[in-house]
Amino acid sequence: MPDHRRDSKPVRRYPRALRVNELLREVLAEELALLLENDERLGLLTITAVDCEADLRHAKVFLSSLPESAEEALGEHRARLQAAIGRQARLRRTPQLSFEVDPGVRQGAIVDDILRGLNDGEQR
């Protein structure tokens, strides 16, 4: 039986949701770099991932850490960040942003602490 996939549209190996998430991460990282020039509270923030809902209404922005002052600054600059997404991304709607600490980074720190404790126990 012949393979009809060659005659049809090519199969995308990079789903739309992943492309949108990566695009949002890049746009937000660029805009945060610009905001950092005027707002020191945004220093040392690293966007680790973005998870946008399929309907594009909401997007969670995961950060490596989120000090209280940075969380406040992000809240103040949320409209500018969303406007940057609207300008640079061709999406049906601009998602409402929420900011959270990346749980993977937090869990990694816990595992690191456990391993350091085990290593300290072996050295005694």
Side-chain angles (χ1 to χ4, degrees):
M1 186 177 276
D3 185 0
H4 294 288
R5 286 184 289 167
R6 292 182 187 171
D7 298 333
S8 64
K9 292 182 180 179
V11 177
R12 290 192 176 180
R13 296 181 187 188
Y14 196 47
R16 181 177 188 268
L18 294 177
R19 291 192 316 269
V20 169
N21 290 340
E22 182 60 20
L23 174 64
L24 294 179
R25 190 190 65 74
E26 290 174 8
V27 169
L28 290 171
E30 288 175 11
E31 195 65 23
L32 279 178
L34 294 174
L35 287 171
L36 179 59
E37 294 174 6
N38 297 322
D39 194 339
E40 294 176 0
R41 298 175 295 174
L42 298 172
L44 301 176
L45 285 182
T46 302
I47 298 175
T48 57
V50 175
D51 185 19
C52 189
E53 292 179 356
D55 64 1
L56 302 176
R57 291 188 189 276
H58 301 284
K60 289 182 186 177
V61 180
F62 294 101
L63 302 153
S64 58
S65 64
L66 188 56
E68 191 173 318
S69 61
E71 186 173 9
E72 182 180 308
L74 288 170
E76 292 172 13
H77 296 295
R78 182 186 324 270
R80 180 174 172 178
L81 294 169
Q82 289 177 194
I85 291 170
R87 279 191 314 273
Q88 297 180 40
R90 293 186 179 136
L91 300 173
R92 284 181 297 216
R93 60 173 54 105
T94 303
Q96 182 176 358
L97 303 175
S98 63
F99 302 95
E100 298 181 17
V101 175
D102 190 336
V105 172
R106 187 180 306 144
Q107 291 170 349
I110 292 170
V111 169
D112 190 45
D113 289 344
I114 291 169
L115 292 175
R116 286 176 199 244
L118 292 174
N119 192 23
D120 290 343
E122 290 177 1
Q123 291 178 359
R124 290 182 187 176

